[in-house]
Amino acid sequence: MNGAGTFASVPIIDVAGLFSGDPVGRKAIANEIGRAAGDVGFFYIGGTGFDFRRYDDLLTVARRFFALPYAEKMRSYIGFSRCHRGYVPQGEEGVFEGRADLKEVFDSALDLPADDPDYLAGNPMLGPNVWPAIPGFAQRVTAYYDAVLGIGRKLLGAFAVALGEEPDRFLRHARKPPSQLRLNHYRYDPAAGDGWVSGEHTDYECFTLLTATGPGLEILGGDGTWIDVPPVPGTFVVNIGDLMELWTNGEFVATTHRVRRVPGERYSFPLFFCVDYDTVIRPLPRFHRPGRPIRRPLRAGEHVFAQTAQTFRYLRNRMDLGDLRLPEGALGVGSFGYDAVPAH
């Protein structure tokens, strides 16, 4: 069994070698990533070659959007979208301990044309983005998305190598993924005390790459204490998601995390790296071990959509009306992470 939950800090890994032509160096870094993924489920990466001016550009347009009047932001309301894109007002997402998250969000993903066959067929996670009428917004969001998605592809290959697989083992399933980029805004709160603004959860996809303007992110240790994961300049925070936990039969763990209340205004930009919607995720044969039940397979996009539908008010309303049903075999929220009881 891995050591997830016994950690006291989050490692920082220089991944520059992943972008080099040295196979020995790439293997060494992949192994380091694998240890962090198995022991903690969270780590920082530096040396990516990412131009952080793209982060500055994204922050600029995010501030412009969230400063708009509420009625203007609601023109892009996510409930108007057929593929889960657009503005998420405070109170729309999450029901934890009887209340919703205290943040507002703008969601985007792979920007497909309106005549995309999956979109026309009604796929709930694939289609065109929604763009507000802010000069440069679409261009800057897309530039950030494309650059970070490229880093994610390198990481996906490194995860495969760390697990003893061929580098393209997972990449062959990442041709048209519903990987989502979120622009999160937490308002200035001078009276902030104990408590959270985004409830504890795991991420649904394979892994997440995060940048943020300030502290607030916390991860749950095995002893029940919360550990701070503040921003480190020049790095991304990476954390394992449900699908990678399933692919490894729990060898890599989707560690539970939350965002605590802090006084300062905070922005964060997670990119949730997913594989193709119809990819069937089942534990790799090397992780079929005595004493560890083999978890049942899930379809990647259906899992992401099912978790989303259970945590967004507009989708829960559609289910209550009978206009929407969860995919067959969908798991409840909280079914992953070392503190959860896995379904199998």
Side-chain angles (χ1 to χ4, degrees), residues 31-100:
N31 289 340
E32 193 174 355
I33 287 171
R35 285 192 295 273
D39 292 342
V40 183
F42 265 77
F43 52 95
Y44 297 91
I45 58 169
T48 62
F50 177 73
D51 183 350
F52 276 86
R53 288 176 295 185
R54 287 179 172 163
Y55 164 78
D56 295 335
D57 288 344
L58 182 63
L59 180 58
T60 296
V61 293
R63 284 177 168 150
R64 288 175 185 166
F65 175 77
F66 290 118
L68 292 173
Y70 176 75
E72 184 65 25
K73 289 182 287 191
M74 284 297 287
R75 292 178 182 272
S76 302
Y77 176 52
I78 197 164
F80 300 151
S81 168
R82 289 168 41 201
C83 55
H84 198 66
R85 314 293 171 90
Y87 176 60
V88 182
Q90 183 171 306
E92 174 73 40
E93 181 186 4
V95 177
F96 304 96
E97 300 173 9
R99 65 177 173 87

Side-chain angles (χ1 to χ4, degrees), residues 11-328:
I12 301 176
I13 303 173
D14 185 338
V15 299
L18 292 181
F19 301 85
S20 75
D22 175 16
V24 175
R26 291 199 302 270
K27 173 65 173 174
I29 293 168
N31 289 340
E32 193 174 355
I33 287 171
R35 285 192 295 273
D39 292 342
V40 183
F42 265 77
F43 52 95
Y44 297 91
I45 58 169
T48 62
F50 177 73
D51 183 350
F52 276 86
R53 288 176 295 185
R54 287 179 172 163
Y55 164 78
D56 295 335
D57 288 344
L58 182 63
L59 180 58
T60 296
V61 293
R63 284 177 168 150
R64 288 175 185 166
F65 175 77
F66 290 118
L68 292 173
Y70 176 75
E72 184 65 25
K73 289 182 287 191
M74 284 297 287
R75 292 178 182 272
S76 302
Y77 176 52
I78 197 164
F80 300 151
S81 168
R82 289 168 41 201
C83 55
H84 198 66
R85 314 293 171 90
Y87 176 60
V88 182
Q90 183 171 306
E92 174 73 40
E93 181 186 4
V95 177
F96 304 96
E97 300 173 9
R99 65 177 173 87
D101 284 0
L102 301 177
K103 67 176 185 287
E104 57 179 343
V105 177
F106 188 91
D107 280 335
S108 64
L110 181 65
D111 195 14
L112 297 170
D115 62 354
D116 176 81
D118 287 308
Y119 177 63
L120 293 177
N123 187 294
M125 303 298 289
L126 292 171
N129 281 331
V130 172
W131 297 120
I134 295 176
F137 187 95
Q139 293 82 359
R140 292 182 178 189
V141 170
T142 300
Y144 182 93
Y145 180 89
D146 289 345
V148 179
L149 199 70
I151 296 169
R153 292 184 65 83
K154 286 289 185 182
L155 276 179
L156 193 62
F159 283 128
V161 171
L163 293 167
E165 301 285 335
E166 292 298 315
D168 70 342
R169 176 62 181 82
F170 304 134
L171 281 166
R172 70 184 71 157
H173 302 292
R175 304 183 190 280
K176 189 182 177 181
S179 300
Q180 185 181 62
L181 173 63
R182 309 203 81 191
L183 281 55
N184 292 323
H185 178 224
Y186 302 88
R187 292 188 177 94
Y188 173 63
D189 183 4
D194 291 339
W196 49 262
V197 289
S198 184
E200 60 185 70
H201 62 283
T202 61
D203 292 342
Y204 315 143
E205 296 83 357
C206 292
F207 58 89
T208 303
L209 293 123
L210 173 78
T211 53
T213 60
L217 176 63
E218 297 179 321
I219 62 176
L220 184 62
D223 61 357
T225 60
W226 290 95
I227 299 168
D228 286 331
V229 188
V232 173
T235 72
F236 292 86
V237 175
V238 177
N239 63 275
I240 300 302
D242 297 350
L243 297 180
M244 191 60 73
E245 180 177 318
L246 177 57
W247 240 329
T248 64
N249 205 37
E251 189 72 15
F252 291 174
V253 177
T255 300
T256 300
H257 53 285
R258 69 180 185 185
V259 178
R260 75 176 188 277
R261 297 182 68 177
V262 295
E265 183 180 37
R266 181 177 183 269
Y267 293 85
S268 67
F269 306 123
L271 189 147
F272 303 103
F273 196 102
C274 197
V275 287
D276 296 336
Y277 191 94
D278 289 327
T279 303
V280 176
I281 310 291
R282 54 171 48 91
L284 296 166
R286 68 179 65 248
F287 299 113
H288 296 191
R289 296 174 180 171
R292 181 182 294 186
I294 300 172
R295 304 185 189 192
R296 65 177 176 83
L298 293 170
R299 200 173 298 273
E302 289 184 353
H303 174 69
V304 173
F305 176 67
Q307 299 294 293
T308 302
Q310 293 174 81
T311 54
F312 274 77
R313 184 178 59 186
Y314 85 96
L315 292 170
R316 293 199 305 269
N317 288 344
R318 291 180 186 175
M319 287 194 288
D320 291 342
L321 292 170
D323 296 336
L324 178 69
R325 289 194 296 179
L326 294 179
E328 184 177 354

